[in-house]
């Protein structure tokens, strides 16, 4: 299976683990076959979720990415 590598930025701040969990859930709900890894971001305090998703489903990524980011900010409001 051909895959494409996509990223979700996780910024430093309170509840970072909750943000990672929420974003990972959103990605895996949409792409159960995805593989995820947490990696260092460009800035020292930032992290990235690296998601490998099937190339044939890459067109679905923008909506999933928006949802993953929104869930991060929803955890801040809660």
């Amino acid at each position: 299976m051909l895959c494409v590598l996509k990223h979700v930025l996780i910024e430093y701040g309170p509840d970072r683990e909750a943000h990672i969990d929420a974003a990972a859930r959103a990605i895996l709900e949409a792409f159960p076959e995805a593989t995820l890894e947490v990696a260092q971001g460009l800035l020292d305090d930032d992290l990235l979720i690296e998601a490998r998703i099937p190339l044939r489903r890459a067109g679905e990524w923008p909506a999933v990415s928006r949802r993953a980011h929104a869930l991060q900010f929803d955890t801040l409001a809660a």
Side-chain angles (χ1 to χ4, degrees):
M1 169 174 59
L2 293 176
C3 292
V4 62
L5 182 64
K6 296 293 189 175
H7 296 96
V8 174
L9 176 66
I10 306 293
E11 295 178 358
Y12 179 78
D15 300 323
R16 181 160 52 175
E17 291 300 318
H19 299 169
I20 292 170
D21 292 343
R25 271 194 311 277
I27 295 166
L28 291 173
E29 284 174 5
F31 304 106
E33 65 276 75
T35 59
L36 306 179
E37 290 183 39
V38 177
Q40 182 63 46
L42 292 175
L43 300 176
D44 289 340
D45 293 335
D46 292 340
L47 297 175
L48 295 172
I49 296 178
E50 294 184 341
R52 286 171 177 76
I53 62 170
L55 180 60
R56 72 185 186 297
R57 297 188 61 198
E60 299 171 47
W61 178 256
V64 175
S65 176
R66 283 189 298 273
R67 184 167 176 247
H69 282 97
L71 288 172
Q72 290 182 62
F73 296 112
D74 286 348
T75 60
L76 289 175

